[in-house]
Amino acid sequence: MATGMQQNAWPRTSINTFTPLRPQMAKEVLFVHIAYHFHPEMGYDVNYMARYKPDNCRMVVVTGDNLSLWKTDAEGIRPLDERFTAETGTEIIRLPSFKTGNNKAGVMLRGLNRTLNRLNPDIVFYHGLESVSFGQSLFFQTRKRYVSGDTHTLFSQFRDLSLPGRLYLYGFFRPFIVKRMVKRGRPVFYTALENKRVLTEMFGNP
């Protein structure tokens, strides 16, 4: 199921899908947002949620230590991470990146499954669900947790798709990840109509 921002042909959902985050519930909910790149001063949706989440929601951002997109390093980002945590109560965990450089698809987060198992979250959200970076983690985590995600992929990104990329998409992502998420009614978010078409035509969402 894809949703809102807008919604695709998976079983219909709405913001009510996330009713565990409503503040009237006494139980604390642990929400983990996973992104291969994250900067605490950029205007991402996760930055907004970190500041305006319900009181009973504990939030953790798990991301990589590859900071080349912003021309900074660990020493430069550390005080920004610490200030973000102090202001929002949201912890930032930076895992070692398997590949450096600006190629997002090549950024693998080492120890991602181990970190998720340690945190034991109620909800896991993958930013860029289709990324090879998250394939192994998605395969295991969708079996035991409430997993959701989003996509920003455009058709132009498939024009020169490499052989490994095709093998991943058609041999693993579609038959195992997408099928499992559809079966469990997990929502997938998109931000533009082209993303919706990619979900249906390229990722095989019914």
Side-chain angles (χ1 to χ4, degrees):
M1 122 191 18
T3 186
M5 316 0 136
Q6 302 181 53
Q7 186 165 294
N8 197 28
W10 290 13
R12 291 186 63 82
T13 186
S14 69
I15 195 62
N16 289 331
T17 301
F18 296 97
T19 50
L21 300 183
R22 288 181 177 176
Q24 63 264 31
M25 297 188 68
K27 177 183 179 296
E28 182 182 75
V29 173
L30 176 55
F31 180 95
V32 173
H33 182 106
I34 305 172
Y36 28 67
H37 294 295
F38 175 77
H39 193 293
E41 292 188 338
M42 298 295 175
Y44 305 129
D45 49 356
V46 62
N47 298 54
Y48 183 90
M49 182 176 178
R51 295 181 184 279
Y52 298 101
K53 63 185 181 301
D55 292 338
N56 69 312
C57 178
R58 176 190 167 207
M59 186 171 175
V60 177
V61 175
V62 178
T63 186
D65 64 354
N66 178 10
L67 305 168
S68 58
L69 283 175
W70 301 289
K71 305 295 188 297
T72 187
D73 54 20
E75 292 301 315
I77 204 71
R78 185 175 296 114
L80 301 182
D81 285 354
E82 292 173 351
R83 184 173 67 186
F84 184 83
T85 297
E87 292 176 352
T88 67
T90 297
E91 180 184 359
I92 300 174
I93 298 175
R94 294 192 179 274
L95 300 178
S97 298
F98 181 74
K99 181 178 180 181
T100 58
N102 292 340
N103 184 359
K104 294 182 179 180
V107 178
M108 309 291 288
L109 304 183
R110 291 180 176 175
L112 179 55
N113 268 330
R114 184 168 59 251
T115 300
L116 289 174
N117 291 336
R118 176 177 60 82
L119 291 171
N120 193 27
D122 298 287
I123 300 174
V124 183
F125 186 92
Y126 291 81
H127 176 70
L129 187 75
E130 69 285 352
S131 172
V132 178
S133 304
F134 303 143
Q136 182 190 38
S137 179
L138 273 164
F139 181 73
F140 290 104
Q141 297 300 326
T142 51
R143 294 190 303 182
K144 57 185 177 180
R145 306 190 196 284
Y146 190 99
V147 170
S148 179
D150 65 1
T151 181
H152 303 275
T153 299
L154 304 175
F155 279 104
S156 60
Q157 295 173 252
F158 294 94
R159 291 173 185 164
D160 300 312
L161 194 62
S162 64
L163 178 58
R166 291 179 183 277
L167 290 174
Y168 174 75
L169 175 62
Y170 296 109
F172 181 73
F173 183 70
R174 284 181 54 154
F176 292 100
I177 302 303
V178 172
K179 183 178 180 180
R180 183 171 290 167
M181 293 190 70
V182 170
K183 182 179 179 180
R184 287 165 169 76
R186 302 310 191 216
V188 178
F189 295 82
Y190 60 90
T191 54
L193 290 178
E194 185 172 355
N195 302 145
K196 177 182 178 180
R197 289 184 57 212
V198 167
L199 283 171
T200 302
E201 300 174 26
M202 302 304 297
F203 295 164
N205 293 1

